[in-house]
Amino acid sequence: MHKRRWRLAITAIYFTRVLTSLSKKILNKTGPLLRTLSYVTIDVHRLKENSSREKPASYFNVDPKMFSDMVRDKNFESLSQIGGVKDIASILRTEVRDGINGGETDLIQRKIVFGENTYRNPPAKGFLSFLSAAFKDTTIIILLVCAVLSLTFGIKQHGWRDGWYEGGSIILAVIMVVSVSAVSNFRQSRQFDKLSEKSSDIRVEVVRNGRRRPISIFEVVVGDIVYLKIGDRIPADGLFLEGHSLEVDESSMTGEIDLIEIYERSPFMLSGAKVTDGFGFMLVTSVGMNTAWGRMMSSTNRDLKEETPLQARLSKLSSCIGNVGFMVAALVLAVLLIRYFTGNTKDDGGNREFIGTKTMFGDVMNAVVGMIAAAVIIIVVAIPEGLPLALTLTLAYSMKRMMADHALVRKLSACETMGSATTICTDKTGTLTLNEMEVTEFWLGKEALRDYTSFDMANNVLKFLHQAVGLNTGGMIYKPHSASIPEISGSPTEKAILSWAVFSLAMDIEEVKQNYETIHVEAFNSLKKKSGVLVKENGEKTIHTHWKGAAEMILASCSTYYDRAGMRKTIGEEERLQLGTIIKNMAAKSLRCIAFAHKEMAEEDGQILEKLEENGLTFLGLVGLKDPCRLEVKTAVESCRAAGVNIKMITGDNVHTARAIAIECGILNVDENLDHESVVEGVHFRHYSPEERLEKINKIHVMARSTPFDKLLMVQCLKQKGHVVAVTGDGTNDAPALKEADIGLSMGIQGTEVAKESSDIVILDDNFTSVETALRWGRCVYSNIQKFIQFQLTVNTAALIINLVAAIASGKVPLTAVQLLWVNLIMDTLGALALATEKPTNDLMKKPPVGRSEPLITIIMWRNLIAQALYQVTIVLVLHFKGVSIFGVDKKVNSTLIFNSFVLFQVFNEFNARKLEKKNIFTGLLTSKMFLAIIGITIVIQVIMVESLKRFANTQRLDWGQWGACIGLAALSWPIGWLVKFIPVSIED
């Protein structure tokens, strides 16, 4: 009896498929029909389709504003007057089942008439705006005023030919510094704009020319049929065509948190809303600026240039250092003025510069302007405006490289916060595994099918469900034009049970739908771990309930099962125990166990049931699906653990499968982590008391049978425990956990749009290795900033002390305004470019995480910079006071030696800054092409300034011996840096 029923079901499905395919071939034939000797063919026309094509209505005669207002106002009366959704589809030349033609000409015409699905963003700032902003800096304005005064009095005193050099040199130096800064900021702004556009470019599925295809949201046009599922964001305004249990969240538009059910009587769908339940197809009626979301998008466009926590800390540090610079500059100016007006300042000939009323007014003003300029230059050098620039460069460079490494940064703060992460809570499927299911075990009842034919058959069905139909084991997905049901081979019983397995998984296949009426679909439930469908055979009173899902959950609802011979038997205690053991053994092999069950019942008094029966089911069988771990995952996990970052796997699989996968990936150590507290189930975790959770949270490495609420609860507990938490998620229900985490990482392939919008970083390849890469880059950002801070503070400290001591002792500063501006350019822009673009190294992953409350300047950095600053101060002051006698040169050559040595000090110290702790500062130098290029550019410009720009830089040409002396003095900073690193420092844990 049962065998006959199976065969009848297979035969009906097969012949329906054959008839459908034959009819399609005939109807799609455009040429004349051929006759044969045995048959007479009849030319059958598609009356309905032809009649729709002959309608005179055209979308060229449609006012786009009419559709826009109707949907935005949800005017059902206007929709009824037009004739309904299908008539609007006809007006827009859209086939309800096949969508638009999708040809290039058709798409261009639609864009011309209705516009494109893009939004008018505020115009990007041009280069001149950045240049203007740079000139508005207070210190730059003061410096320019001093330069203009110096230029005026110099020309008045010495004439046009010789009087413009000092003031003109300052002006040119300021222009060069400002231009370089403006170019850098302009380029980074353009980079951020590109990243912003990339993060806004989401993918949607549309039906065109009878096929579903993914396209960019910007390519959606009016008339498109868009397929929407849970987690998607509606890309444009439109009308509901068909679907099931569709609910949307319009809170982003209306501010109301109530979910809105979408069906035939309420078909209006607004762009920007999010699908929270069900699935369906939507006809697009308005795009771009004509949508309800359009106006909001243009005014509230997300900006990637927000200030991050580290930028705020750097701004505060810059402010503190700047205040010190102001005080030093004021003190130097006071000392210089007092010495000048008391007659203690002498010129190059040894004569007093100020002789009371005998001194000309122009000379006095020139001297005063020079002193003010020197004080302002000290402020310019002291204020580390390069710190924010260095961070901007580091973030921009890191974001660009992370994109190449499959990690799209949506929020700047995530780059730096990721470097402080102490715990990563990761999904399993697709992240740790390949998400490529393969059947390795197949059971009919209690008997295993071990022949290759059965595996090939099962994998054939699985391949069909994943590729041809687009289904997964999580829920029902509708596809209007599916491929034909695959050929199923094997014994009659195997055919029958596999057919019902296909039926249970793929109830929305077109051929099946022709014979069965879908009454109710229950989507995959994360708590029940199963989903089902209730169908009724056409013309019959028999109702079928089909279930699929986690094996132990399905088994708990079953009271009978089919053996291999097709006989139905009762599941007693012994049989239930045997089946449970089979499931447990399969799970221990890291297999995902999916079971199928069904139930038949007669329709009672013509009443259609509205819910699925979950008990009294008949167990059909189960498959063991192997989802292999990614080959590189174990190495990435070991790298994270070596870096002091805990990895916790949160999965919906049962505890045995979860434990096996965790051991395979390296999250669980067979020797260390197999106690009962390392692996817990979500139901136990959520029933712990708050105190128990906090006590056990550090010991938990795997949480099985978890729900999104369990993941959120774990994140909250970890943060309460003091951890910096990174979380991966892909579903709509993961959004709360992604938002709650310090760093939310959504999946670019499996992830829904809701999950992506709730995250900080999108992992484009769904690979845990990319999560580890993001961690590596986060640490690199922090490390590069520390390198630059050490480098710049060394220059700041040395320059302030040198100028202060020299001014008090001799009444003159060793470095001129132009020379100090050149040093400032080395520190800020060039130094930032050199040190901020260092690539991450393996050494970064051998250190413990850096807490966000840790000081930016560590004891190790203080040790290094104090040693280098003291050496630079000592050498420069010795040259300032004794250089003339030591080298036997005049004062101008000695001043050039001081300037040249000071610049070379910074060049050599950049090498020291590359490695804060390691003694070998040349490790990986050849791979740092940007660093070497910047060093080369700095040296070339320095040689030009000393040898060729004598009047501009106020220098004298040096001979080979003098150049050798400068290089030798600067090179001594390397052995000093090496020796200093032997000094032990205490680092608090």
Side-chain angles (χ1 to χ4, degrees), residues 247-406:
E247 287 187 347
V248 300
D249 175 14
E250 294 184 354
S251 58
S252 59
M253 295 295 303
T254 63
E256 301 292 336
I257 60 174
D258 294 335
L259 300 181
I260 298 175
E261 184 179 359
I262 303 296
Y263 58 102
E264 288 76 6
R265 298 292 300 174
S266 178
F268 304 103
M269 306 176 72
L270 301 179
S271 59
K274 299 178 180 63
V275 180
T276 58
D277 193 16
F279 58 87
F281 289 84
M282 179 190 80
L283 173 67
V284 176
T285 57
S286 302
V287 294
M289 296 305 297
N290 292 324
T291 64
W293 183 251
R295 298 186 184 93
M296 293 181 60
M297 281 292 291
S298 62
S299 59
T300 60
N301 188 41
R302 184 178 59 83
D303 188 5
L304 275 169
K305 298 183 280 294
E306 74 273 11
E307 188 177 58
T308 70
L310 186 54
Q311 283 177 323
R313 293 176 69 184
L314 287 177
S315 298
K316 187 177 180 180
L317 177 63
S318 299
S319 179
C320 293
I321 298 173
N323 292 334
V324 175
F326 271 108
M327 290 188 290
V328 172
L331 184 58
V332 168
L333 179 60
V335 170
L336 292 178
L337 289 174
I338 292 171
R339 288 182 64 90
Y340 177 79
F341 286 110
T342 56
N344 291 318
T345 303
K346 298 181 180 180
D347 58 19
D348 294 338
N351 302 316
R352 290 169 57 185
E353 292 188 358
F354 182 76
I355 319 175
T357 56
K358 295 181 180 180
T359 307
M360 296 179 61
F361 177 75
D363 293 338
V364 174
M365 290 304 300
N366 258 339
V368 172
V369 168
M371 297 175 198
I372 295 174
V376 173
I377 292 297
I378 291 173
I379 295 173
V380 172
V381 175
I383 296 177
E385 64 268 21
L387 289 179
L389 174 62
L391 181 57
T392 301
L393 289 171
T394 302
L395 291 174
Y397 175 76
S398 301
M399 290 170 70
K400 185 176 181 181
R401 292 304 300 268
M402 287 173 74
M403 175 76 75
D405 291 336
H406 309 293

Side-chain angles (χ1 to χ4, degrees), residues 398-647:
S398 301
M399 290 170 70
K400 185 176 181 181
R401 292 304 300 268
M402 287 173 74
M403 175 76 75
D405 291 336
H406 309 293
L408 169 64
V409 179
R410 299 185 70 254
K411 296 181 182 177
L412 278 178
S413 57
C415 280
E416 58 198 46
T417 308
M418 193 67 192
S420 303
T422 60
T423 301
I424 298 176
C425 298
T426 178
D427 287 332
K428 178 186 73 69
T429 304
T431 307
L432 298 174
T433 61
L434 291 171
N435 196 26
E436 295 177 359
M437 296 293 184
E438 181 182 1
V439 176
T440 59
E441 290 192 26
F442 186 70
W443 293 72
L444 294 178
K446 298 188 297 179
E447 297 185 49
L449 301 180
R450 305 188 184 280
D451 58 293
Y452 289 104
T453 304
S454 299
F455 293 139
D456 293 341
M457 175 175 55
N459 278 313
N460 187 29
V461 174
L462 189 70
K463 183 178 180 181
F464 163 70
L465 295 174
H466 276 281
Q467 297 180 1
V469 189
L471 298 179
N472 55 44
T473 56
M476 296 294 181
I477 300 177
Y478 175 73
K479 187 175 182 181
H481 286 271
S482 305
S484 301
I485 294 178
E487 189 78 24
I488 297 176
S489 59
S491 68
T493 302
E494 291 168 357
K495 282 184 178 181
I497 294 180
L498 268 178
S499 298
W500 282 106
V502 172
F503 193 85
S504 301
L505 276 170
M507 273 309 302
D508 289 314
I509 298 177
E510 190 67 27
E511 286 82 353
V512 176
K513 288 184 67 180
Q514 291 179 3
N515 296 285
Y516 293 90
E517 174 189 354
T518 302
I519 300 174
H520 179 71
V521 176
E522 183 169 310
F524 184 79
N525 188 299
S526 59
L527 290 175
K528 295 179 180 179
K529 297 296 176 185
K530 55 187 176 182
S531 60
V533 62
L534 190 65
V535 297
K536 178 184 176 183
E537 194 169 354
N538 292 338
E540 300 292 335
K541 293 188 176 182
T542 303
I543 295 176
H544 303 271
T545 303
H546 297 269
W547 285 97
K548 73 174 187 298
E552 66 271 25
M553 301 296 183
I554 295 295
L555 179 60
S557 302
C558 294
S559 58
T560 57
Y561 72 98
Y562 282 115
D563 63 11
R564 188 165 186 171
M567 300 299 294
R568 186 184 304 186
K569 294 184 178 181
T570 303
I571 298 179
E573 290 298 325
E574 183 179 351
E575 288 79 8
R576 194 173 298 278
L577 184 62
Q578 290 176 351
L579 289 170
T581 302
I582 292 171
I583 294 170
K584 183 177 179 180
N585 291 338
M586 291 172 67
K589 302 174 188 175
S590 71
L591 301 182
R592 173 177 286 185
C593 305
I594 303 296
F596 307 98
H598 88 286
K599 182 179 181 180
E600 294 181 7
M601 49 192 156
E603 188 179 53
E604 298 179 1
D605 300 328
Q607 296 294 320
I608 297 178
L609 301 178
E610 294 184 356
K611 64 177 294 184
L612 282 72
E613 294 288 341
E614 297 187 34
N615 52 15
L617 305 180
T618 299
F619 188 81
L620 295 176
L622 55 88
V623 292
L625 305 176
K626 178 68 173 179
D627 188 7
C629 285
R630 296 178 184 268
L631 296 177
E632 64 276 15
V633 159
K634 191 168 185 178
T635 303
V637 170
E638 290 174 353
S639 177
C640 290
R641 295 183 67 177
V645 180
N646 298 314
I647 308 298

